[in-house]
Structure formats: structure tokens, C-alpha cells
Amino acid sequence: MNQEKMAELKKILYSGILCDVLDGMGYRNQSIGMEIRPLMEDTVIFGPAFTSIGTEVYSMPENPLIAQCKVVDQIKEGEIYILKTRGEYNCAVFGELFATAVQKRGGAGVLLDGLARDLKELKKMQFPLFYRGTSPKTSKGRCEINECQIPVEIGGVNIRPGDYIFGDADGIVVIPAEVSEEVFEKSIETIEKENMVRDGLINGQSLEHVYTEIGAI
């Protein structure tokens, strides 16, 4: 999907409608819980997943952070950088400098199952981040990020490279790549129906009537 189409969908879609459509298609476990929260309430992320895993370590490697640098340097324009922490949440695995690198590579945001730091600077950047929590501690000698573009699981939801990620104030939704086009089409159709329901309610029609007639709530 080209970046222009992505930008258009990002303005229209929202997590609730995507969950409704996925539910109707039989995909009923695609939303990550709110233990992963947005940096700012109006944060929205949308794009295909670039996955990586950070693993807890117990000694200082010879060249700390080099492996993570190599991972981040592979991110392509429009992708969501996903970092899953394996082990204890014992340090920050993402901060201002890595955010700058993601931003300059054209990354569309970050979904972090782990801890972040430099939040003051990230907010100044208005960086599109969803994260689990914070820590001032460096990841050097505590967590190594050296695996990427493999399936991960966050909050009980499977995420594969290329699956679409949509996150807003209500939560994060994972859209399987193979059904993404159908999900987006049905979501737009449902939003149009919801607009008709809203118009009917504003014009004084009963909720039962508009729901029966239009079939979208």
C-alpha cells in the first residue's frame, strides 16, 4: 500500500471500528490491552509491522547497542517498529536517539512492549510511541536487541512482519496482512453507516429505528 493511501486511511480509521470489523470476520483476539499506552493521548500509529525482540542479558557485551543499531537501520518508510522484551522489564530499551533514528528512516511509529526513557524529549518530538512503562536505566548489559522480522506476541496477540498495526487512544489493533484490504474496505463502509445512524439520531429518530434500518452501532 502506498504512503498516500496509508495517510488517507489513518485519518479515517479508528481502533474501535477495526475491532468491530475483525470480530465480524471471526478475528476476535486482535486488540492489545491498555497496559501498552500512548505517549500522548492523541497519538495515532498506523502501518505494517517491523518486528524485533530484546532479550534480557546478565553481562556487558563487547559492543552494547550495536545489534540494536543494526536492527533499527533496517526499518523502511511507513513501518511500525515493534520491540518485544523477552525476560524482565529491567531497563529502558528505547529513547530519544533511537526515536530520532526511526524518524529519520521514515518509520511511522513504535510499539514497545518494554520500557522507555527520555520522555520529555520524545514529547517535544511528538514522537508516535506506545509503550509499557519507563525506566532511567540503560539497556547496556541488561537487554540485547538482536532478532528481527520474526513473529512476536504482545498482550496475547500474535504479530507477524507485515501485519498492520493501528493504535489510538482506545487501544492497539493488529490486522493480519492477508485480510487487511478487506478489513479496511469493510471499516470504511461501516463508518459510512455509522454516519447515517448519527444523522438519524440528530434528526430525532429512535436508536432502535436507525439501528434496525441501517444496522450499525
Side-chain angles (χ1 to χ4, degrees), residues 47-69:
F50 179 98
T51 62
S52 67
I53 295 179
T55 302
E56 183 181 9
V57 296
Y58 308 97
S59 61
M60 186 69 71
E62 184 176 349
N63 295 298
L65 300 183
I66 291 297
Q68 185 174 5
C69 292

Side-chain angles (χ1 to χ4, degrees), residues 126-179:
Q126 296 187 311
F127 190 81
L129 170 68
F130 280 73
Y131 67 114
R132 179 174 287 276
T134 62
S135 172
K137 293 191 294 186
T138 178
S139 63
K140 294 178 182 178
R142 296 186 177 98
C143 187
E144 277 287 289
I145 292 92
N146 53 17
E147 297 177 86
C148 66
Q149 293 298 69
I150 57 177
V152 300
E153 182 182 303
I154 299 177
V157 181
N158 293 319
I159 306 172
R160 301 162 302 170
D163 286 345
Y164 282 87
I165 308 297
F166 189 97
D168 60 18
D170 290 331
I172 304 157
V173 184
V174 179
I175 303 101
E178 65 272 17
V179 296

